[in-house]
Amino acid sequence: MTTRPTEARNPATLDLDTLPTREALARIVDEDAAAVEAVRAALPAIAEAVQLADAKLAAGGRLHYVGAGASGRLAVLDATELTPTFGVDRSLVTAHFPGGAAALVDSALDFEDSGDLGAEDLRDVTGADLVLGITASGATPYVAAALGEARRRGASTVLISCSPDPVIEAGHVIVLDTGPEALTGSTRLKAGTATKVALNAFSTALMARRGRVYSNLMIGMSVTNEKLRERAVAVVRAATGRDEAAARAALRDAGGDIEVALVALLGDAGADDARAALAEAGSVRAAVARFEGRA
């Protein structure tokens, strides 16, 4: 049986248990730095996945993440952060984890070998959707079955694998060639780092394309506490160059909606007109453009 790269022993850390603490830490972090470079090498493939996902969402489809173990937990983390960060509806991006919420927080409940669960969890996928499988080994049965079911239902499929030769089939494959772990087989380390960086980059670039970002500012974030209310004021000020009083007034008139406040200030429009322009145009930049050149 061929040993997958993520399961091989790393010659750089064979003496890990004998090293002084600081040197052990340095070796581990050096391996993580290599993981980031593995993501950089995969950027062309990640960019294609972003474009594919953007097209699906623009046509009314949904995005599904599928993963188990450390990979699946990172996928759940990324998916759950999209609503508070970008204001997207929770139904738009769903993370599927074998065994559900109970298994997510209890690693003793391990269902990653269950192909039946993988197929069952994707029973509501349609041809309008994109399914992104995440697996360090490139061979996780739960992910394989989920992507197989997704293809059967006509959905587009993408696979993120830390093995350069994944056995799972997908329409588009992203390889994060991270190699052997500092601690043999512990893919929560280098493979996990690469997976998190890749998912963060993928989802953030996707949301930017979907108009959920203005400049490098979070304009769709959910404002649920005082800290975030103050951040909303700071975002409006940074985007418009207006003073605090103007930013607070625009947010008040917009009912706390950052995007409406931005369009109102940048387009020199009332909140109602700004809201209507935003609904029609789909993004702050496009909405503001509607007010440019007015007499």
Side-chain angles (χ1 to χ4, degrees):
M1 179 177 177
T2 302
T3 300
R4 295 193 173 278
T6 53
E7 301 293 330
R9 296 186 70 188
N10 191 329
T13 57
L14 292 176
D15 55 351
L16 187 64
D17 64 324
T18 67
L19 293 173
T21 299
R22 185 167 178 176
E23 178 60 23
L25 290 170
R27 298 273 186 94
I28 294 166
V29 172
D30 284 346
E31 293 300 312
D32 267 2
V36 175
E37 290 306 309
V39 178
R40 189 183 303 280
L43 287 180
I46 297 172
E48 290 183 31
V50 170
Q51 292 165 5
L52 180 59
D54 182 39
K56 288 290 186 177
L57 295 183
R62 298 170 297 164
L63 174 62
H64 299 261
Y65 289 168
V66 180
S71 298
R73 289 182 174 87
L74 289 168
V76 171
L77 176 63
D78 192 71
T80 55
E81 287 292 329
L82 296 185
T83 293
T85 303
F86 300 106
V88 298
D89 190 277
R90 290 191 182 278
S91 65
L92 194 66
V93 184
T94 302
H96 303 274
F97 189 88
L104 184 65
V105 297
D106 184 356
S107 59
L109 301 174
D110 185 354
F111 301 103
E112 73 172 53
D113 288 340
S114 176
D116 289 343
L117 272 180
E120 175 67 14
D121 286 351
L122 273 292
R123 65 188 183 279
D124 293 330
V125 165
T126 74
D129 299 339
L130 182 140
V131 179
L132 173 59
I134 305 100
T135 165
S137 68
T140 305
Y142 173 80
V143 178
L147 291 188
E149 181 69 11
R151 290 196 308 275
R152 190 181 74 79
R153 293 177 177 273
S156 296
T157 55
V158 176
L159 177 71
I160 292 179
S161 169
C162 295
S163 170
D165 296 305
V167 300
I168 296 174
E169 295 182 9
H172 181 71
V173 177
I174 299 167
V175 171
L176 309 176
D177 192 1
T178 53
E181 295 288 353
L183 182 66
T184 305
S186 183
T187 53
R188 68 186 179 85
L189 296 174
K190 193 159 57 170
T193 296
T195 297
K196 185 177 190 305
V197 172
L199 285 174
N200 284 169
F202 167 82
S203 60
T204 303
L206 175 60
M207 290 298 109
R209 286 181 65 94
R210 301 298 306 144
R212 308 307 298 168
V213 172
Y214 182 82
S215 181
N216 61 350
L217 299 168
M218 293 189 293
I219 58 172
M221 65 179 182
S222 300
V223 181
T224 56
N225 58 43
E226 185 60 29
K227 179 188 75 173
L228 294 177
R229 280 188 283 274
E230 291 305 309
R231 181 180 292 173
V233 173
V235 166
V236 173
R237 293 189 65 187
T240 64
R242 303 292 289 272
D243 62 22
E244 181 178 344
R248 291 188 185 279
L251 283 166
R252 182 184 63 247
D253 293 344
D257 190 312
I258 296 172
E259 294 178 77
V260 172
L262 290 182
V263 174
L265 289 177
L266 293 170
D268 191 22
D272 289 342
D273 288 341
R275 185 174 288 104
L278 190 60
E280 292 176 4
S283 73
V284 168
R285 286 194 187 277
V288 171
R290 292 177 175 240
F291 295 105
E292 292 177 349
R294 294 181 308 178

